[in-house]
Amino acid sequence: TQSTRPQRLLHAVQKNATRGDPRSVVKAIDNFCRQKEWAMNVGDEKGCILDSVVSEVNPVTVLELGTYCGYSTVRIASLLPPRAKIITLEFNPDYAKIARQVIAWAGLEDKIQVVEGPSGEWIPKMKEQFGVKTFDLVFLDHWKDRYLPDTKLLEDCGLLRKGTILLADNVICPGTPDYLEYVRNSPRYKSQYFKSHLEYTKAEDGLEKSVFLG
Ligand SMILES: Nc1ncc2ncn(CCCCCNC(=O)c3cc(-c4ccc(F)cc4)cc(O)c3O)c2n1
Ligand SMILES: [Mg+2]
């Protein structure tokens, strides 16, 4: 039977990356996507912006919406302090299965919890299910029309605190116009756009970094 792109991406990791070396996993995925097949990872150019935000925030509790194959999950986790944790939500069980294997190859299972299901259902359960108080950093990279409703849900569930950072991928391509309008005009956020390019292409894209003011 024909393999899927996530399966071929995982095989590229297992073939080219060193077990237990997260940065070699990131590099192997970027090389696969540049040389063989495009895939919707945040990529290396936007990934460097992600790295700088993670290093600046030094988060203890991270939420990622949209795991896909775990590229950004591994990228973030590789920069976290020892006790820090990431909860990453993935809707598609096939993607979640691949992501768990990519994360295991990087040796980061202890820092990362992959949760399967839609963000709209899981966000209200975060406190009771995972003992989360508030998130220090939220990376939005899932369905683009869920960025705004899920941000409002995070607010309503008391999962954001003064200073929580929201970092959103793809605000230009595919684009999240309603989300951008909200975080740029709401008095509850201080927003900043980091211009970049769509992963592995020359098309414009960027990350929006928004601080929740409480
Ligand atoms: N509610 C809920 N809860 C949890 C979930 N987990 C997953 N999902 C579903 C999300 C499915 C993947 C989302 N990501 C993208 O669609 C995406 C697309 C492009 C792209 C594609 C084609 C182009 F020509 C140009 C750009 C580039 C990117 O960087 C992207 O991140 C969930 N939904
Ligand atoms: Mg993305």
Side-chain angles (χ1 to χ4, degrees):
T1 54
Q2 177 62 19
S3 69
T4 65
R5 179 167 308 183
Q7 282 169 333
R8 293 192 291 273
L9 182 150
L10 171 63
H11 293 151
V13 166
Q14 293 168 332
K15 180 163 173 276
N16 302 309
T18 308
R19 262 186 184 286
D21 176 355
R23 302 315 285 187
S24 77
V25 167
V26 166
K27 200 157 278 318
I29 294 173
D30 282 329
N31 289 341
F32 173 79
C33 293
R34 260 196 301 272
Q35 294 156 14
K36 299 280 189 338
E37 305 184 55
W38 186 92
M40 59 183 170
N41 316 118
V42 73
D44 196 45
E45 191 181 320
K46 289 186 288 179
C48 287
I49 300 167
L50 172 62
D51 291 351
S52 62
V53 171
V54 173
S55 303
E56 175 203 336
V57 175
N58 235 331
V60 173
T61 315
V62 182
L63 173 64
E64 176 179 64
L65 300 174
T67 316
Y68 188 43
C69 296
Y71 173 92
S72 49
T73 329
V74 164
R75 195 153 184 148
I76 294 167
S78 71
L79 298 173
L80 294 184
R83 293 169 303 99
K85 294 264 185 272
I86 302 187
I87 296 172
T88 182
L89 288 191
E90 179 48 59
F91 182 74
N92 180 317
D94 299 325
Y95 294 170
K97 224 191 303 301
I98 296 292
R100 287 194 176 90
Q101 296 173 79
V102 168
I103 289 160
W105 196 266
L108 290 168
E109 313 92 308
D110 300 349
K111 287 184 173 306
I112 299 166
Q113 174 146 25
V114 180
V115 179
E116 283 181 45
S119 48
E121 281 178 30
W122 274 108
I123 287 171
K125 296 180 190 165
M126 282 291 151
K127 291 194 180 226
E128 62 181 295
Q129 295 283 331
F130 304 108
V132 169
K133 253 175 79 347
T134 54
F135 290 109
D136 303 313
L137 173 67
V138 180
F139 182 55
L140 299 95
D141 195 19
H142 61 329
W143 266 324
K144 307 316 162 194
D145 59 7
R146 288 295 313 179
Y147 283 29
L148 181 53
D150 286 342
T151 295
K152 290 181 170 172
L153 198 51
L154 286 163
E155 289 173 15
D156 297 345
C157 296
L159 286 163
L160 306 182
R161 57 148 171 94
K162 195 188 291 286
T164 295
I165 301 290
L166 304 187
L167 189 65
D169 189 27
N170 309 118
V171 296
I172 303 300
C173 177
T176 62
D178 59 344
Y179 172 79
L180 272 191
E181 203 274 332
Y182 179 72
V183 290
R184 289 178 175 176
N185 297 302
S186 163
R188 305 186 76 183
Y189 292 91
K190 174 93 188 68
S191 239
Q192 185 183 2
Y193 175 59
F194 291 82
K195 185 174 181 244
S196 184
H197 295 94
L198 177 69
E199 49 266 26
Y200 319 114
T201 78
K202 292 188 167 57
E204 182 182 344
D205 190 19
L207 300 176
E208 188 81 1
K209 177 190 171 194
S210 308
V211 186
F212 184 61
L213 302 173

